[in-house]
Amino acid sequence: MTEHHGDDGPGPTEWRTGPEPVGVGPWPGGPDAWPDDPRYDPELLAGGDRRNVVDRYRYWRREAVVADLDARRHPFHVAIENLHHDANIGTIVRTANAFAAAAVHVVGRRRWNRRGAMVTDRYQHVHHHPDVATLLAWARAEDLAVVAVDNGPGAAPLETAVLPRRCVLLFGQEGVGLTPQAVAGAERVLSIAQFGSTRSINAGVAAGIAMHAWIRAHARV
């Protein structure tokens, strides 16, 4: 596998070829050959590392991975209203990790199904807000523009919009969409163009599309 990111650091894409298992076995050469670096985890060096992480972080302690990500996270956040234990939150967390979002914010119910996150919630900051008003107040205090993404009346097309660099991308509960309070509190409401017969797309998919729109506008690749 190789990583590409200009000349200095991890790439935006890690290429994988062939059917080989994900990860690596024990560090070759045994303990005498282990690197003298506090970022490395002795248990992983001894037993191998099959975690869902890019090669840059093989054998690293979880805390070291999080610290390295924190040094280069992007200045956009993702929030989703969680009214009925939305099963899409795990997918959104996983995608936010892939795009190095600053944080994911769960609004409403605190509990969510972590299975879809594929353990990426260990490396991605996830915060809870009891209601939309609390999220909006936090965003104002942090000088973050709140951009709601919902296919409702009056929404502007995401495809032609210019997303703010510092923002919160806010999504609604699967099925019902954003609450009126969320729409009213957002600075902008954007919609994702659809051309088929369905009224809406999956909330996790919508979040991925919007996050990638931010990446295309602002990230260095």
Side-chain angles (χ1 to χ4, degrees):
M1 300 185 206
T2 58
E3 298 176 351
H4 303 273
H5 195 239
D7 298 320
D8 59 350
T13 301
E14 178 176 281
W15 304 102
R16 181 184 176 198
T17 59
E20 70 277 4
V22 173
V24 290
W27 188 277
D32 291 340
W34 287 357
D36 183 16
D37 186 328
R39 294 176 299 184
Y40 287 84
D41 186 325
E43 291 188 6
L44 295 174
L45 291 169
D49 187 356
R50 301 296 181 183
R51 297 173 301 172
N52 180 26
V53 297
V54 296
D55 286 352
R56 171 184 175 86
Y57 296 132
R58 287 296 172 207
Y59 304 109
W60 282 30
R61 302 176 189 270
R62 181 175 65 86
E63 295 80 5
V65 175
V66 173
D68 191 71
L69 289 171
D70 285 346
R72 56 188 184 83
R73 292 187 196 274
H74 294 127
F76 76 91
H77 297 245
V78 183
I80 181 169
E81 292 187 292
N82 186 31
L83 308 179
H84 308 294
H85 299 305
D86 197 317
N88 292 282
I89 295 176
T91 298
I92 292 173
V93 169
R94 183 180 181 184
T95 307
N97 171 271
F99 293 142
V104 174
H105 302 260
V106 179
V107 181
R109 295 179 181 268
R110 181 181 294 272
R111 295 183 59 189
W112 55 277
N113 188 336
R114 284 168 166 73
R115 179 173 297 179
M118 296 291 289
V119 199
T120 56
D121 54 308
R122 295 182 182 178
Y123 310 98
Q124 178 63 50
H125 298 300
V126 181
H127 305 295
H128 174 256
H129 303 267
D131 49 45
V132 169
T134 305
L135 171 73
L136 296 174
W138 172 84
R140 286 193 297 269
E142 296 294 323
D143 194 27
L144 292 165
V146 177
V147 179
V149 181
D150 194 23
N151 284 15
L158 171 67
E159 292 73 22
T160 58
V162 178
L163 290 173
R165 188 169 186 274
R166 289 177 48 80
C167 67
V168 179
L169 301 173
L170 175 58
F171 301 88
Q173 171 79 39
E174 179 76 18
V176 299
L178 285 164
T179 60
Q181 294 85 353
V183 173
E187 295 185 21
R188 305 169 65 184
V189 181
L190 302 178
S191 63
I192 297 172
Q194 297 177 203
F195 302 92
S197 62
T198 183
R199 289 176 55 86
S200 63
I201 58 177
N202 174 271
V205 172
I209 292 171
M211 281 187 258
H212 195 258
W214 188 99
I215 292 296
R216 290 185 65 189
H218 299 291
R220 182 172 67 89
V221 295

